[in-house]
């Protein structure tokens, strides 16, 4: 099956920004899984599965963190959707910066909670619940914002379809190289982010991981959003 051709494909700087944000997905999930208990705050599929385990009474799984993560993620997505609809006529770089400020602000606030809380890795007690809500809300906001961009193969958080595309289109040669590079880049960036996040968490703790992630989101968006190609792009 032929690869669909976009009438106005995303400019390279936007692709680079989304790849950078993909790395922060790995960092957020490193923080949540290693420090907040068995919970994902960037990728919701795992939470649905874990919620099923909790419903079955499996030892080590309790419903509250997963329900909180899912609810906060959805609230973040709803908020981003409303902001996106209200600012449809606004320039793309403005929308990207608004999204980055909100997302990084929520992540930084979670970092402040981490500073004020003594942690033991793997715990999912009441003291980590605010951080679960804040990081999941930030990632829900990001997902809805990126969804509005409609850039194929770059959701920045979900890799299942990306990996499927890599395997299913591996035999194609004509015109497939740029798409394949993007897909492989997304997988590599999430992997790199998860590795970096795990190292940060192990050496410096939860707060440092969340603050670093917030800084990358904000500064990375600031660096790319003002690029002339992004300013001129019409979706």
């Amino acid at each position: 099956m032929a690869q669909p051709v976009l009438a106005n494909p995303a400019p390279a700087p936007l692709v680079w920004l989304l790849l950078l944000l993909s790395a922060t997905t790995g960092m957020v999930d490193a923080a949540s899984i290693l420090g907040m208990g068995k919970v994902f705050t960037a990728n919701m599929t795992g939470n649905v599965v874990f919620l099923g385990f909790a419903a079955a009474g499996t030892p080590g799984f309790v419903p509250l963190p997963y329900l909180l993560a899912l609810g906060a993620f959805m609230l973040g997505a709803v908020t981003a959707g409303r902001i996106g609809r209200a600012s449809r006529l606004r320039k793309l770089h403005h929308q990207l910066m608004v999204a980055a400020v909100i997302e990084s602000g929520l992540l930084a606030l979670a970092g402040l909670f981490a500073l004020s809380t003594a942690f033991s890795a793997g715990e999912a007690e009441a003291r980590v619940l605010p951080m679960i809500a804040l990081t999941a809300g930030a990632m829900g906001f990001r997902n809805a914002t990126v969804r509005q961009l409609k850039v194929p193969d770059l959701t920045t958080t979900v890799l299942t379809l990306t990996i499927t595309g890599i395997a299913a289109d591996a035999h194609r040669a004509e015109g497939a190289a740029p798409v394949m590079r993007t897909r492989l880049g997304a997988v590599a960036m999430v992997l790199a982010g998860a590795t970096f996040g795990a190292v940060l968490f192990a050496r410096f703790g939860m707060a440092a991981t969340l603050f670093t992630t917030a800084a990358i989101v904000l500064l990375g968006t600031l660096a790319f959003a003002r690029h002339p190609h992004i300013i001129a792009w019409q979706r």
Side-chain angles (χ1 to χ4, degrees):
M1 189 170 97
Q3 185 74 24
V5 177
L6 297 179
N8 196 8
L14 181 58
V15 172
W16 299 334
L17 171 58
L18 296 181
L19 287 172
L20 178 64
L21 294 178
S22 297
T24 64
T25 292
M27 296 175 67
V28 169
D29 268 339
S32 66
I33 294 169
L34 298 176
M36 303 178 200
K38 301 184 185 76
V39 60
F40 292 90
T41 59
N43 186 347
M44 292 297 109
T45 304
N47 290 328
V48 174
V49 174
F50 289 164
L51 186 59
F53 294 165
T58 306
F61 295 89
V62 293
L64 181 57
Y66 314 126
L67 291 171
L68 180 61
L70 288 164
F73 187 93
M74 292 176 67
L75 180 60
V78 167
T79 304
R82 290 182 176 176
I83 291 176
R85 286 189 294 274
S87 61
R88 250 182 303 197
L89 300 179
R90 209 181 278 170
K91 293 290 187 180
L92 173 61
H93 65 278
H94 290 155
Q95 291 180 265
L96 290 174
M97 284 310 307
V98 168
V101 167
I102 292 173
E103 180 184 336
S104 61
L106 291 171
L107 293 173
L109 186 56
L112 289 176
F113 271 97
L115 279 179
S116 63
T117 306
F119 274 95
S120 296
E123 290 185 357
E125 299 177 358
R127 61 177 180 260
V128 304
L129 295 181
M131 280 165 288
I132 291 175
L134 288 165
T135 54
M139 299 310 289
F141 192 96
R142 182 212 285 173
N143 266 264
T145 301
V146 171
R147 183 174 181 268
Q148 293 165 15
L149 301 178
K150 300 177 182 178
V151 179
D153 300 304
L154 276 177
T155 65
T156 76
T157 55
V158 181
L159 291 179
T160 303
L161 290 178
T162 303
I163 293 171
T164 300
I166 291 171
D169 294 339
H171 66 287
R172 295 181 64 247
E174 184 179 353
V179 174
M180 194 63 72
R181 282 197 297 269
T182 299
R183 291 170 176 169
L184 290 170
V187 174
M189 290 301 281
V190 173
L191 176 62
T195 304
F196 181 50
V199 171
L200 270 178
F201 183 88
R203 294 188 180 181
F204 304 106
M206 171 78 77
T209 307
L210 293 172
F211 285 139
T212 303
T213 306
I216 291 173
V217 169
L218 185 61
L219 296 177
T221 304
L222 181 63
F224 287 114
R226 293 292 301 174
H227 193 285
H229 291 172
I230 289 183
I231 293 174
W233 187 50
Q234 297 296 321
R235 286 165 284 171

